[in-house]
Amino acid sequence: MSAFDALVEALRRLPGVGPKSAARIAFHLLQHDREGAHVLAQALERAVAAVRHCRRCNTFTEQEVCATCLDPERDRTQLCVVETPADQAAVERTGSYRGLYFVLMGRLSPLDGIGPRDIGLERLYARATDGEVSEVIIATNFTAEGEATAHVLAEALKARGLTVTRLARGVPIGSELEYVDLGTIAHALVDRR
Amino acid sequence: MSAFDALVEALRRLPGVGPKSAARIAFHLLQHDREGAHVLAQALERAVAAVRHCRRCNTFTEQEVCATCLDPERDRTQLCVVETPADQAAVERTGSYRGLYFVLMGRLSPLDGIGPRDIGLERLYARATDGEVSEVIIATNFTAEGEATAHVLAEALKARGLTVTRLARGVPIGSELEYVDLGTIAHALVDRR
């Protein structure tokens, strides 16, 4: 296979990149941004070699334990469970959470064959029952799979004697009721305060 | 910068990849396809090192002159001008062209500051006037920029005494007139045969 075709093949493995965009990206890199191609190659090799999972919270880190878990300023009694590092970053950006995290690196998805073992729920249960954590805040996504995951987690963690809470469902800030979907309004009515 | 953030940055340089999809791709590679990340890094380095331009037709190749230009079966009197290797591949797939190619690796686009020198039109003129070529078939895209490029090429090549033709405009195979845009139908009427 030619070097160009091999590059197109490799690009097609990326999520959301089909044959046409793979060819377009390869053309762009070789014609207009060979420096970018080299930088990307280096970044890929470096990340594959260096990035591993935090032993405590399971997020991506280059150390044995990530900086967040080591931060003495964080509240060790709260544990926020998210699906991915991107979700963790979103919660961090709010600036309104000072506890620790556990990153599932996925969600339960029986249709895709992703069960409790694939996303390491046992590790979460062990982490949450370390004696310091008193409240687990479940911040999985509000999708069908995220909600199912939240349900399973809540049952298991409550059975271990922990206080389990879930991010509030409701009407997003800045939205007009007319354009909010009915399920969201119904939940906001039930959870009114 | 962490290895993960550096990877997201490098992915953002790809055309059509914004910050969210860069993070999604980085997560996918590190969580589910580290082998794919390694394969892509290798393919990028190999392509950057090996791929250059054919001295005759300007397409991507790993040799001094590409296999198509060297093929003794091809008709050396016809030269088809396309914008990109992907367009060349599309013409090849039809199986109905046996001449040679010239790949512009772009198109004239004054708004983007891409002039005749940037897409090496002088090289095309030198190639087309080698004495063997008698007909130049212009197969740039039927976009505003592709049409403008075709116009400039046609004038310059005719002035050099070459027969210049353009891919026929018309109604695409399998389409219903009701759903074809009016400009296309108008052109198909003018070019009727």
Side-chain angles (χ1 to χ4, degrees), chain A residues 1-4 7 13 15 27-28 31 33-34 36-38 41-42 44-46 48 51 53 60 62 85 105, chain B residues 1-4 7 13 15 27-28 31 33-34 36-38 41-42 44-46 48 51 53 62 85 105:
Chain A
M1 186 156 37
S2 78
F4 185 82
L7 176 56
R13 283 176 79 149
F27 174 75
H28 171 84
Q31 187 66 13
D33 194 13
R34 288 187 180 224
H38 179 66
Q42 300 282 308
L44 284 163
E45 294 289 25
R46 181 182 157 208
V48 166
V51 174
H53 295 283
F60 288 137
E62 285 155 74
M105 293 287 175
Chain B
M1 186 155 38
S2 78
F4 184 82
L7 176 57
R13 282 176 80 150
F27 173 73
H28 172 83
Q31 187 65 15
D33 194 13
R34 289 188 178 223
H38 179 66
Q42 299 283 308
L44 284 162
E45 294 288 26
R46 181 182 156 206
V48 167
V51 173
H53 294 283
E62 284 156 74
M105 293 287 175

Side-chain angles (χ1 to χ4, degrees), chain B residues 102 104 106-110 113-125 149 152-153 156:
Chain B
F102 190 89
L104 294 173
R107 67 204 70 87
L108 292 177
S109 179
I114 300 173
R117 215 164 282 173
D118 300 292
I119 59 172
L121 292 192
E122 287 304 327
R123 285 191 55 206
L124 165 60
Y125 300 152
T149 307
V152 170
L153 290 183

Side-chain angles (χ1 to χ4, degrees), chain A residues 103-151:
Chain A
V103 184
L104 294 172
M105 293 287 175
R107 68 204 69 84
L108 291 177
S109 180
L111 286 177
D112 301 322
I114 300 173
R117 216 165 281 176
D118 300 292
I119 58 172
L121 292 193
E122 286 304 328
R123 285 191 53 208
L124 165 59
Y125 301 151
R127 171 73 186 83
T129 53
D130 71 344
E132 280 194 294
V133 173
S134 60
E135 178 186 2
V136 177
I137 300 162
I138 301 184
T140 54
N141 288 322
F142 286 80
T143 57
E145 291 165 349
E147 292 278 29
T149 306
H151 180 76

Side-chain angles (χ1 to χ4, degrees), chain B residues 49-118:
Chain B
V51 173
R52 47 183 175 156
H53 294 283
C54 171
R55 197 162 47 79
R56 302 205 78 209
C57 76
N58 201 36
T59 196
F60 288 138
T61 177
E62 284 156 74
Q63 279 77 46
E64 173 123 2
V65 177
C66 75
T68 309
C69 285
L70 290 175
D71 185 347
E73 303 283 301
R74 315 280 313 200
D75 180 351
R76 315 191 87 73
T77 67
Q78 290 188 322
L79 192 68
C80 178
V81 181
V82 292
E83 293 183 16
T84 65
D87 297 332
Q88 179 185 14
V91 176
E92 276 295 278
R93 276 197 300 274
T94 67
S96 55
Y97 178 67
R98 294 300 302 160
L100 294 174
Y101 292 91
F102 190 89
V103 184
L104 294 173
M105 293 287 175
R107 67 204 70 87
L108 292 177
S109 179
L111 287 178
D112 301 322
I114 300 173
R117 215 164 282 173
D118 300 292

Side-chain angles (χ1 to χ4, degrees), chain A residues 146-161:
Chain A
E147 292 278 29
T149 306
H151 180 76
V152 170
L153 290 184
E155 295 302 309
L157 292 166
K158 276 180 202 157
R160 286 164 173 80

